[in-house]
Amino acid sequence: MRKRKLLSFIAFIISIAYLYSHINVEELMLDIRMATPRYLLLAAILSISALLLSTLRWYLFLNEIQKTSFKTTLVASISGYYLITILPPTIGHMAKVKLVGGDYFKALSAFAVGLSLEILVILLSAFMLIGPTASGILGLAVILTALIYERGIYITLDSLLKFLERAGIKSIVASLRSYWKRIYAAWSMTKKNRWVLVVSFVISVAVLFLQVFAITVVGKAFGLNIPLKRALYGFVMSLLFSSVSGIPAGFGANEFGLVLGIGASTKATVTAFVYKFLFQYAYSVVGAVVFYRRLGSREDSTR
């Protein structure tokens, strides 16, 4: 754990140092003063649209297996931005799933199917515009296998757990087999409706386009012309660096990857920070308020 924190701290320092080295303070102040408000307003609208669409995708899958209101799903989605700031990303996402209520494994499976479609769309887009990579192809194969032939994955892992159970590790493995069975059942139910799958895939394409297009819009606000292909490359690099850095909310690493993708300059650095603020950091603040208000209402209801 300490080694991981140390590596995250080093990654944060490297990211900030790189970004700082490409900032001209006078140009920075001029860029901020000369920013075009209408482009920033458009980027904010794109951000809200992307949030609502991604929440709608989760909501559609949730309603295939349990009844949940869109408002509750939206509260959980926004709270997630705060939770991944104070917790490791995987734990943060798992915690936000708890907020929708109902059967946890069903809610988790619904979220996982939607996330799988999102990653699938990102990988396919990256392949078309940037080119395939070994890790990308592997990730694509895993996602497609999980979406198309999940029963094979279930049987394989369950057989391994059964072997361990017979080897003498009964109590723990029995619980794991039970959890794995519930996850498999919920996953299968979630993706049973092909129409919902198709609609959710289209939503995932729309969400990616909104996020990438917003990079070009924020760039225009600061007088920077970013081709759509470079914006996509920067978006993918931002995801990559934030995920491997281990920095809470990916702060610094997000911008580092984005700047590497669109080209290092003062304008690019300002664009990266403003973009991430509109699409993530602002929601972290709102998410904290929403999360603790939700937590408070639950405590009041149990008294």
Side-chain angles (χ1 to χ4, degrees):
M1 180 65 74
R2 289 183 179 179
K3 183 182 291 186
R4 179 64 176 172
K5 288 183 177 180
L6 178 60
L7 291 175
S8 298
F9 179 73
I10 293 173
F12 173 74
I13 295 299
I14 292 174
S15 300
I16 295 300
Y18 177 85
L19 295 169
Y20 179 77
S21 67
H22 288 85
I23 289 180
N24 180 295
V25 177
E26 292 183 1
E27 183 182 348
L28 172 65
M29 300 308 297
L30 180 62
D31 288 338
I32 294 174
R33 286 198 301 268
M34 299 298 290
T36 308
R38 69 175 182 274
Y39 285 125
L40 295 177
L41 177 60
L42 175 57
I45 293 173
L46 293 173
S47 172
I48 295 172
S49 300
L51 170 66
L52 292 176
L53 282 175
S54 61
T55 302
L56 175 62
R57 180 183 60 208
W58 188 12
Y59 172 73
L60 290 175
F61 283 127
L62 274 172
N63 273 271
E64 286 300 300
I65 50 180
Q66 66 178 30
K67 294 300 179 183
T68 306
S69 70
F70 181 80
K71 180 181 178 181
T72 300
T73 312
L74 181 60
V75 166
S77 294
I78 296 176
S79 299
Y81 286 93
Y82 167 66
L83 292 171
I84 64 172
T85 302
I86 62 172
L87 299 169
T90 302
I91 303 300
H93 286 305
M94 293 177 68
K96 83 175 183 182
V97 169
K98 188 72 175 176
L99 296 177
V100 298
D103 187 287
Y104 178 77
F105 290 98
K106 289 181 178 180
L108 180 63
S109 295
F111 173 74
V113 172
L115 183 62
S116 297
L117 286 177
E118 181 177 342
I119 297 173
L120 178 64
V121 168
I122 292 173
L123 287 175
L124 290 174
S125 301
F127 286 173
M128 288 188 294
L129 294 179
I130 301 172
T133 62
S135 58
I137 293 173
L138 177 61
L140 185 64
V142 170
I143 291 172
L144 288 176
T145 302
L147 290 172
I148 299 172
Y149 194 59
E150 73 275 8
R151 180 166 177 78
I153 297 177
Y154 167 72
I155 292 174
T156 301
L157 186 54
D158 186 63
S159 298
L160 176 60
L161 291 174
K162 190 184 295 183
F163 172 79
L164 294 175
E165 189 174 14
R166 289 174 179 172
I169 316 174
K170 292 186 177 180
S171 58
I172 298 177
V173 175
S175 297
L176 289 176
R177 286 190 67 194
S178 175
Y179 294 153
W180 178 232
K181 184 177 181 179
R182 292 175 65 183
I183 290 173
Y184 164 69
W187 177 280
S188 300
M189 289 173 60
T190 300
K191 56 182 283 292
K192 194 172 184 179
N193 190 328
R194 304 302 181 191
W195 174 244
V196 172
L197 268 178
V198 171
V199 171
S200 298
F201 181 83
V202 174
I203 289 176
S204 298
V205 173
V207 169
L208 176 62
F209 174 76
L210 291 173
Q211 291 174 317
V212 173
F213 180 60
I215 296 174
T216 69
V217 172
V218 176
K220 286 182 179 180
F222 298 103
L224 182 63
N225 183 32
I226 306 172
L228 200 60
K229 182 176 180 179
R230 296 298 300 179
L232 175 60
Y233 184 62
F235 178 80
V236 173
M237 292 290 284
S238 175
L239 291 178
L240 177 63
F241 276 89
S242 63
S243 61
V244 301
S245 69
I247 302 171
F251 184 78
N254 278 315
E255 293 78 9
F256 178 47
L258 187 52
V259 168
L260 284 179
I262 64 179
S265 67
T266 299
K267 292 182 184 295
T269 302
V270 175
T271 296
F273 274 100
V274 172
Y275 171 77
K276 292 307 300 184
F277 174 79
L278 291 174
F279 275 78
Q280 182 176 343
Y281 304 142
Y283 293 128
S284 297
V285 177
V286 177
V289 176
V290 171
F291 173 72
Y292 286 111
R293 182 175 294 176
R294 172 80 172 180
L295 208 61
S297 64
R298 282 192 171 187
E299 289 177 354
D300 291 339
S301 64
T302 56
R303 289 175 183 173

